[in-house]
Amino acid sequence: MPFKRVVITGLGALTPIGNTVQEFWNGLSAGVSGAGPITKFNAEKFRTKFACEVKGLDINQFIPRQEARKMDPFAQYALIVADEAVADAGLNPEQINLDKAGVIWGSGIGGLKTFEDEVKNYATGDGSPRYNPFFIPKMIADSASGLLSIRYGFRGVNYVTVSACASATNAMIDAFNFIRLGRLDIAISGGSEAAVTEAGVGGFNALRALSERNDSPETASRPFDKDRDGFVLGEGAGAIILEEYEHAKARGAKIYAELIGGGMSSDAYHITAPHPEGLGALNVMKDALNDAGIGPEDIDYINVHGTSTPLGDVSEATAIEKVFGEHAYRLNISSTKSMTGHLLGAAGAIESIACLMAMQHNLVPPTINHFTDDEQFNPKLNFTFNKAQERAVNVALSNTFGFGGHNFSVVFRKL
């Protein structure tokens, strides 16, 4: 049986540079940094005192106070972006087969704030186990997909993927496969993360993974720059409505693009460090191109994982040159993490949205904060430094990699 075609019909975004898809795109295209001093807790004693936080969000405008209290922020974020995406897609649950509508979500960490608060409360108490009755439901990562399924009445497959920073792209590929195999007509996919907490920042500081450029937070995320010193922690969510092509046409849905391929690989090398020769990144991009049935020369734009770490950026750039050959120098490449920071398990969702909006506007968002060339990178590679560039973007690829060696790539094409 031939695979069914899968298209994108709705988008939702909540990011450090914009709380809707349009605001997010405005920030991306203008090269805005979302980094600033941490406001969620007192970070005075932390090595890193800044992050890319969501700004100006009143949760109770979207979720009633009593309900919001039963959810960790990462799940609240999931509901907010899913509502935007469902509205954008023009979905009416009464007009679709709810048994073939599913939710596959991604989160690398889940309810970290809830876990942190409950353990601190217990530790500072008298030893009596006074835990919130919603502690476990709020904390577990699959609460996000469960809440989304309940909200829209979707009775098809429903689960959360956990593959560190690759979780959202992992979720999208799973949704893609369920639809093209005919198991679903439609799926809400994407990811959410809310790890700007004491444990989140402290834990990544202990790994020496975060930038410590406290004197200039807005320029701290410097992918492919000689002076990069680690990633900037971000938070937020992205939702994408995936739909079987004929199903979307039959209901007159607008279509952003077609999802034509998904790649998967493992570094099988180290729990946190990337393969030094970019083997996992190389394999996942090859797998994505093969799954899409296209050649390297068909890609116009790559939204790279590009976290601004000394090892990771080199590994990914090395892999791109090996996969794309001479065509690598005709591509546009950019890391939107230079603006949003690293949203961990939600990164793949908002970066896929960046690709889709780049295709809509034929404009490649920049890699900001480039100040000093690094001789480790071939100067013929176009990293779209500092300013957005106009070009036809007909096919785009998005890479996301995670601790544990998880690698996922997706390929989008204009219809």
Side-chain angles (χ1 to χ4, degrees):
M1 184 181 70
F3 283 151
K4 295 180 181 292
R5 297 172 69 184
V6 181
V7 294
I8 309 302
T9 57
L11 303 175
L14 176 64
T15 78
I17 60 171
N19 294 354
T20 65
V21 170
Q22 189 58 56
E23 289 179 5
F24 173 49
W25 175 247
N26 292 345
L28 285 182
S29 55
V32 173
S33 171
I38 290 171
T39 65
K40 294 183 178 296
F41 62 91
N42 184 354
E44 181 181 351
K45 294 183 179 180
F46 286 71
R47 286 207 299 269
T48 296
K49 308 178 195 308
F50 61 93
C52 285
E53 297 178 334
V54 169
K55 303 165 186 67
L57 178 68
D58 180 358
I59 292 292
N60 300 127
Q61 286 187 347
F62 302 91
I63 307 169
R65 187 179 303 276
Q66 285 299 107
E67 291 302 309
R69 290 176 59 194
K70 301 172 186 177
M71 304 174 194
D72 187 86
F74 96 101
Q76 297 170 353
Y77 294 170
L79 292 181
I80 290 169
V81 295
D83 276 354
E84 183 184 8
V86 167
D88 185 39
L91 274 182
N92 182 345
E94 295 180 358
Q95 296 175 352
I96 62 176
N97 181 355
L98 295 175
D99 292 330
K100 294 192 72 175
V103 181
I104 306 179
W105 201 250
S107 185
I109 295 181
L112 185 60
K113 182 70 167 77
T114 295
F115 184 82
E116 182 181 297
D117 287 347
E118 291 294 323
V119 171
K120 285 168 65 177
N121 289 340
Y122 174 72
T124 56
D126 63 4
S128 300
R130 296 187 182 93
Y131 286 92
N132 187 310
F134 292 100
F135 171 36
I136 299 301
K138 285 174 67 175
M139 178 195 70
I140 52 179
D142 70 307
S143 64
S145 67
L147 288 164
L148 292 174
S149 174
I150 293 166
R151 193 172 186 84
Y152 307 111
F154 285 9
R155 296 191 295 261
V157 63
N158 168 21
Y159 62 90
V160 160
T161 62
V162 179
S163 39
C165 303
S167 298
T169 308
N170 185 167
M172 289 165 52
I173 292 174
D174 284 6
F176 171 54
N177 285 328
F178 271 101
I179 295 171
R180 66 177 176 172
L181 289 170
R183 301 290 300 276
L184 290 176
D185 293 331
I186 196 161
I188 302 172
S189 193
S192 57
E193 209 77 270
V196 182
T197 71
E198 292 168 84
V201 176
F204 282 116
N205 265 161
L207 275 175
R208 308 310 294 259
L210 297 181
S211 170
E212 298 179 20
R213 204 177 299 278
N214 294 300
D215 60 336
S216 183
E218 67 281 357
T219 69
S221 184
R222 303 183 179 191
F224 310 105
D225 187 87
K226 185 178 181 65
D227 297 320
R228 65 194 182 280
D229 71 329
F231 70 81
V232 177
L233 186 60
E235 63 171 1
I240 296 178
I241 305 297
L242 286 77
E243 191 166 353
E244 193 272 322
Y245 175 56
E246 296 298 337
H247 186 274
K249 278 207 310 180
R251 67 180 191 87
K254 76 169 181 289
I255 293 173
Y256 284 96
E258 183 175 3
L259 177 52
I260 59 173
M264 300 171 279
S265 80
S266 176
D267 280 7
Y269 172 72
H270 190 274
I271 196 65
T272 57
H275 193 284
E277 297 174 8
L279 183 60
L282 179 151
N283 285 341
V284 76
M285 287 186 283
K286 282 187 172 180
D287 190 48
L289 294 172
N290 182 64
D291 191 46
I294 62 175
E297 68 281 356
D298 294 311
I299 299 292
D300 299 306
Y301 167 49
I302 303 177
N303 187 298
V304 289
H305 187 59
T307 56
S308 183
T309 57
L311 297 178
D313 290 4
V314 173
S315 175
E316 188 171 11
T318 298
I320 287 171
E321 288 195 273
K322 289 178 179 177
V323 171
F324 291 90
E326 286 297 313
H327 185 64
Y329 313 127
R330 295 187 285 272
L331 291 165
N332 270 82
I333 299 164
S334 73
S335 171
T336 47
K337 288 185 180 74
S338 60
M339 295 172 275
T340 66
H342 190 356
L343 271 66
L344 308 179
I350 66 163
E351 288 159 15
S352 290
I353 293 170
C355 287
L356 292 161
M357 296 301 284
M359 297 169 78
Q360 293 288 301
H361 296 276
N362 288 313
L363 184 72
V364 175
T367 304
I368 68 167
N369 298 331
H370 181 73
F371 303 100
T372 308
D373 290 342
D374 186 336
E375 61 277 3
Q376 294 182 92
F377 302 111
N378 191 327
K380 292 195 292 183
L381 289 171
N382 180 3
F383 290 109
T384 321
F385 283 135
N386 295 328
K387 187 177 179 181
Q389 294 178 12
E390 293 184 2
R391 73 167 290 166
V393 182
N394 294 311
V395 186
L397 182 147
S398 178
N399 286 336
T400 47
F401 312 142
F403 283 175
H406 314 293
N407 307 303
F408 294 87
S409 298
V410 283
V411 182
F412 300 100
R413 179 173 62 194
K414 283 182 182 176
L415 282 177

